[in-house]
Structure formats: C-alpha cells, structure tokens
Amino acid sequence: MTRKHALAPAIAALIACSQACAQGEPVRFDAVGDAIPRPLTSEPGDAARGRSIVVNRDAGACTLCHAVPGEKTSGNIAPALAGVGARLSPAQLRLRVADSTRVNAESPMPAYYRTEGLNQVAGAFRGKPILSAQQVEDVVAWLATLKGPQ
Amino acid sequence: MRFAGLALAAAALAAGAAPAQERAIPSGELKSGSAFLGSDLRALQNDAFANPGMLWVERGEKLWREPAGKKNLACASCHKDTSMRGVAASYPKIDKASGKLFNLEGRINQCRTERMGAEPLRYESEDLLALTAYIARQSLGLPIAARIDGAARAHFEAGRAAYHLRRGQMNLSCAHCHDAQWGKRLLSETISQGHPNAYPAYRMEWQTMGSLERRLRACLSGIRAEMLPYGSQEYLDLELFLAWRAQGLPIETPGVRR
C-alpha cells in the first residue's frame, strides 16, 4: 500500500467508504501451492454473510460472471459456482477469491484481496482491496457449503 | 516463405494496415455493436425517422451553416456540402501541419479555434455532439479505414498497449472483455466486440447522445479505474487502435445503445 498522501485519501475514504472498504488493513497472505492454508482472520467465516457478499453488486458482484445457486440473473463468463465446495478445499477457494491470477495469470477474475501491482485504480478505491479479510473468509465459508450439483 | 511473408507484411504496412494475423478478431468475424442488441433497439437505430440520434444530426446540419467566432465564418464557408463523405471513416488521423493525432471532435475544435476564431466546443456539449454526428452520418455505410503508418504508428502502438493494460481495482484490460469474452453475458448485458463505428451514439441509460470517449469512460468506471480528462492522449491513441481493430466495419452513426 502506498502512503504518499496519508491524510487526503483517509478523508476521502471516510466519505466514500461503503462497508466493503477495508480501511487501513494490511493486505497480505501466504500462499502455499495453489492454496492459502491459514485463514486471513481469527474470526471464522460466516456463510450467510458470505452469500450476501457474493450476490451484492457493491461487494463481491460474483454474479457478474458466475452462475450462483439460488440467483436467477447472472453472467456466463465463468464456471458455475454450484459444486465448487466439493471440487476445491477451503484453502484453495481462499486463494482463488484472494487473487485468482496466482492460479491463472490470464484470469479475468478480479483479485479480491490485493492492492499491489494494480494500474490506474480510481481514487476512491486506491490502496484498498475489493473485499476485507473478514469478507473473504465469509465468502470462502459459503463457497465451502456448495457441495451439490445444485 | 519467410521472405514472402515479410514482403506481404511490408506491403500491408505500406498500405497503412498491419498484418491481419495481429488482430485478435479476424475481419471475417467482425460484428458491429448493433449485432448484440435486441431487435427493438436495432430497428430503432436503422429507422432514420425514429432514431433519436437523428435530432443531433439535424442540429449539426444547422450549426454547419451558422457563422461563428471573430471571423464570422461557418464550416460551410470553407467546406462544400458533399466534402465530408468518408472523412469520419478515416479518423483518428494525423494532422499534417502539426503532426498530431486528432479525433473528429478535436479536428472540429481545431477548425473553430484556428480558422474561425471561435471558442472550442466542450466535449459532450450538445453542439460538439451535433457537429460530430452530422459529419459522421455522411460516412454512413462506409468502412472504417484509419491509417496507422507514418507518424500514426507510434500512437497505434501506444493505443495497443493501453488496450491490453490491466487496470482499475477489478484489474481488467479492454481485451479481457472485448477480445476474450464477446458474445458472453456480464450479468445480463451481452458484451460486444467494443467497436467505435456507431459513435456518437444515443444510449438509453444516458437518455442522450454521447461520444466514444464517454462510452470508454463508462467501461473504465465499471472496472473502478481512473477516468482521464476528455481528449487525453491515451484516449486518442486508444481510439486509433479501436479504429484499426474495427477496420472494414461500416459506420452506423448515430448508433442506438442500451
């Protein structure tokens, strides 16, 4: 995270921040292979909160690209999320949500928990990950429940 | 073989076109944005009496004849009425005198400031949209044929780089959507190939006419990327790259879009 103009973004963030902003939180995780084995927070993920983050257009907005169980409207750019909890472990899900470009460099999926190496980020979002660490854990907790084909 | 290939490439460059294999979407697969619309909007665009953008074309025709500025000249004082056919299809273009790249909006403003002694028109002002639409309409059906040789080459390369740059909090490039995912749905909206051939266009969401740059800014804001000021060099370069990608597609101005 760059800290060049510490005060101005802090004020802008106070005004512009929705609950999706992870203000001031250090963004780092340890990937091992194609997974992040250690949870990003000490509080366990909450699957119900995770679901609402997945479908909320101002938070995860995953339905832009993925079909999501229980949602009628969705894009068709990415694989359907049904059954993803059976295909992938929570640790693998965590890396795919945090930074899918670590799994596939060409991935169009936004890196939800990353602030480094991005270009021309709009002022209101600069230096902030799309989701907070707790939100990533919540999303992973819900994805892990998606075991069946529906 | 290699030499024949090089000679072909050289000939293509000399003609202002880059070798066909460099294009992500080959010319046989080019589709205008209107091909991705519902039939209702496509019909609206194609009906010159119902197309709401035609109001701007008509306003543009009036402005074309209206004297403006210190010299009290109109566009029509210098240009013949029929002289604009094909012009929009060749933009963005290098201005021979200054060596700079201009889009149509920039050229209109250059005529105003340097030849008419008038103020430049603001981007997205009714008057600039009207004049641009009026001039572009005269290329209706003509294939886009922007040149990328000579001084344009460096702008083309910069535009290509800008097109492929991942940007914004969502970390996407133009190519991620318009080369790799066209025809697929982003939520409920079908992604087109991202061509410039219908601009300025009337967009339902705007409830008005907008320039190509306004559309680009909408894409940038969608991926939470910085929006540059209208007329920025990066936009001009990007517009030249878009014209090259769309080479051969017919001009459809004024387009109608969601």
Side-chain angles (χ1 to χ4, degrees), chain A residues 1-7 9-10 22-26 126-127:
Chain A
M1 239 192 260
T2 47
R3 285 255 171 265
K4 268 187 230 150
H5 320 279
L7 195 58
Q23 171 63 22
E25 179 181 322
R126 212 167 294 153

Side-chain angles (χ1 to χ4, degrees), chain A residues 21-33:
Chain A
C21 282
Q23 171 63 22
E25 179 181 322
V27 173
R28 54 174 301 280
F29 55 78
D30 296 314
V32 178

Side-chain angles (χ1 to χ4, degrees), chain A residues 7-83:
Chain A
L7 195 58
I11 294 168
L14 279 177
I15 299 164
C17 232
S18 72
Q19 41 109 216
C21 282
Q23 171 63 22
E25 179 181 322
V27 173
R28 54 174 301 280
F29 55 78
D30 296 314
V32 178
D34 79 333
I36 305 175
R38 283 167 55 105
L40 304 175
T41 59
S42 50
E43 185 188 332
D46 178 315
R49 267 192 329 233
R51 188 182 193 286
S52 68
I53 294 163
V54 164
V55 300
N56 184 337
R57 284 209 69 179
D58 295 324
C62 314
T63 46
L64 277 177
C65 299
H66 292 274
V68 168
E71 290 299 303
K72 276 198 234 93
T73 313
S74 72
N76 60 358
I77 286 171
L81 290 179

Side-chain angles (χ1 to χ4, degrees), chain B residues 47-59 137 209 253-254:
Chain B
D47 180 346
F49 296 99
N51 181 331
M54 289 306 286
L55 291 173
W56 279 262
V57 173
E58 282 156 27
R59 180 184 175 123
R137 179 70 178 180
M209 197 80 153
T253 308

Side-chain angles (χ1 to χ4, degrees), chain B residues 115-143:
Chain B
R115 304 200 180 147
M116 298 159 72
E119 290 291 306
L121 298 169
R122 200 176 42 76
Y123 259 93
E124 307 314 298
S125 63
E126 298 290 338
D127 284 1
L128 187 55
L129 288 168
L131 277 169
T132 313
Y134 171 64
I135 293 170
R137 179 70 178 180
Q138 293 171 61
S139 293
L140 183 69
L142 294 180

